[in-house]
Amino acid sequence: MATTAAGSVTGKTAGTGSPLVIAHRGASAYAPENTLAAVDAAADLGIDWVENDVQRTKDGRLVVIHDDSLERTTDVEQVFPDRAPWKVKDFTAAEIARLDAGSWFGERWAGARVPTLGQYLHTVEANRQKLLLEIKAPELYPGIEKEILRVLREEGWLDRAHVRQKLVLQSFGADSIRTVHEQRPDVTTGFLGTPAVADLPSYAAFTDQINPAYTSLTGDYVAAVHALKGPHGKPLTVSTWTVNNAADAVRADALGVDGIITNNPDVVRDAVG
């Protein structure tokens, strides 16, 4: 599967100055989100970076899914009708592995599964892609940061090459990102949200990226982020989400962002490349 020229974990696409294009939950406009099919769809489009979400099962396995409930993107209501509200944390990994995570998106994807983090990492690696990994709802899963780092280490994703070029861990939870930085200070981290400009220096102590929603983005805010250096001594960067059309992509680029997270990575790439 094809890949494009790569950017570093904290900067724009090498040689062009264009923002990195990051496939949100994989190429989720074209395949069911957070499935291996969505990773492959991004690779088929020539997209290097994919974003995903990780949560923990009842028996302590890490799985790739966005919502804290299985209801929206699987057939859990049919398979386990008496277990509402179908929270990820209330099901074992074996139970989740039985679920169809593709039919809701289209018949073509019937039988797609909710991948484990290990399975997801294998596919990203096989495609020679790079990973923006979101720790989802860390308040629901005490200690998940250590477990994520363990799986990343076991799968070879914490060696020097991956840490320097292929991996970013992000979360809406500042404490979670601070924990990652404390446990593996070499790993690039990102905070999802728009902290007040006055608070940015405190975030710069433990995160390399400030990744705000596109709807909150201004040029002044991007400049304020870029004016600070993160824990690795490099200027903080900005990847904004979720930008799905060419006009918004062009505007985000003009505001100076370093990355654009999108369900439609080909549309964004063609607009800003």
Side-chain angles (χ1 to χ4, degrees), residues 54-57 60-64 115-118 144 147-148 151:
V54 63
Q55 299 188 59
R56 188 170 66 202
T57 67
R61 297 288 300 281
L62 299 178
V63 292
V64 174
T116 65
L117 179 58
I144 193 173
E147 296 164 4
I148 290 170
V151 173

Side-chain angles (χ1 to χ4, degrees), residues 199-216:
D199 295 333
L200 287 174
S202 65
Y203 284 83
F206 61 86
T207 192
D208 303 277
Q209 303 180 2
I210 300 294
N211 296 339
Y214 171 71
T215 53
S216 70

Side-chain angles (χ1 to χ4, degrees), residues 103-154:
S103 291
W104 70 275
F105 194 83
E107 291 183 7
R108 172 182 171 186
W109 293 275
R113 303 300 173 188
V114 175
T116 65
L117 179 58
Q119 291 167 338
Y120 199 93
L121 292 170
H122 288 166
T123 298
V124 174
E125 184 77 2
N127 290 343
R128 299 182 179 180
Q129 291 167 298
K130 305 174 185 194
L131 181 61
L132 175 59
L133 174 61
E134 179 179 345
I135 305 169
K136 201 71 185 178
E139 66 278 4
L140 298 178
Y141 310 108
I144 193 173
E145 298 84 8
K146 183 177 181 180
E147 296 164 4
I148 290 170
L149 290 170
R150 175 182 57 79
V151 173
L152 288 168
R153 183 179 65 253
E154 291 172 353

Side-chain angles (χ1 to χ4, degrees), residues 89-110:
K89 64 183 180 63
D90 294 332
F91 287 78
T92 67
E95 289 170 336
I96 291 174
R98 291 173 54 189
L99 303 177
D100 181 340
S103 291
W104 70 275
F105 194 83
E107 291 183 7
R108 172 182 171 186
W109 293 275

